[in-house]
């Protein structure tokens, strides 16, 4: 299995600039083919996982609200936090500028991804 984080500043700046431009509208939108699909943000302290369940490997944890490119969603483990629960998990790339990492090919629980609904309209199934 390949390592999923990249610590190069050049890669972070290039992908970060692309996702920043996509995120200006504040809603999930179709992205140009060069990104992971739909621009979104992920809440602070969210675990980025190897599979759509809480027993899978954690590749990283976001340090603050972080930009993401969502490629697709699937139904995985149901998770409930507080009064909200969902079995929707999103797959894509997350950029954490604070620690200088890009996490590619990771799963994010739907309750941590700010897209408005689970699953978000327009995001295809995986």
């Amino acid at each position: 299995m390949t390592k999923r984080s990249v610590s190069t500043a050049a890669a972070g700046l290039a992908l970060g600039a692309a996702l920043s431009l996509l995120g200006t509208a504040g809603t999930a939108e179709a992205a140009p083919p060069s990104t992971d699909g739909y621009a979104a943000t992920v809440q602070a302290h969210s675990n980025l996982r190897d599979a759509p369940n809480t027993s899978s490997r954690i590749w990283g944890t976001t340090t603050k609200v972080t930009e993401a490119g969502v490629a697709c969603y699937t139904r995985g483990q149901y998770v409930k936090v507080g009064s909200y629960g969902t079995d929707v998990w999103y797959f894509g790339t997350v950029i954490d500028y604070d620690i200088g990492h890009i996490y590619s090919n990771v799963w994010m629980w739907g309750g941590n991804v700010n897209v408005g609904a689970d699953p978000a309209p327009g995001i295809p199934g995986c």
Side-chain angles (χ1 to χ4, degrees):
M1 190 166 293
T2 61
K3 187 171 180 180
R4 296 181 188 236
S5 63
V6 178
S7 296
T8 61
L13 291 174
L15 189 53
L19 288 174
S20 293
L21 293 173
L22 293 172
T24 57
T27 58
E29 298 179 38
S34 62
T35 66
D36 263 339
Y38 298 83
T41 57
V42 180
Q43 294 177 6
H45 311 294
S46 298
N47 290 326
L48 309 173
R49 295 186 174 272
D50 191 36
N53 60 66
T54 59
S55 61
S56 65
R57 180 179 176 172
I58 297 173
W59 287 105
T61 303
T62 59
T63 57
K64 65 177 184 177
V65 174
T66 306
E67 293 178 14
V70 175
C72 58
Y73 79 92
T74 195
R75 296 202 180 266
Q77 178 186 357
Y78 179 86
V79 177
K80 185 171 183 180
V81 175
S83 63
Y84 186 77
T86 186
D87 66 350
V88 172
W89 290 73
Y90 295 97
F91 182 78
T93 299
V94 177
I95 304 169
D96 195 330
Y97 294 106
D98 278 359
I99 60 173
H101 280 248
I102 298 173
Y103 299 96
S104 297
N105 304 319
V106 293
W107 290 96
M108 304 156 268
W109 175 61
N112 291 334
V113 181
N114 303 313
V115 289
D118 289 321
I123 296 179
C126 296

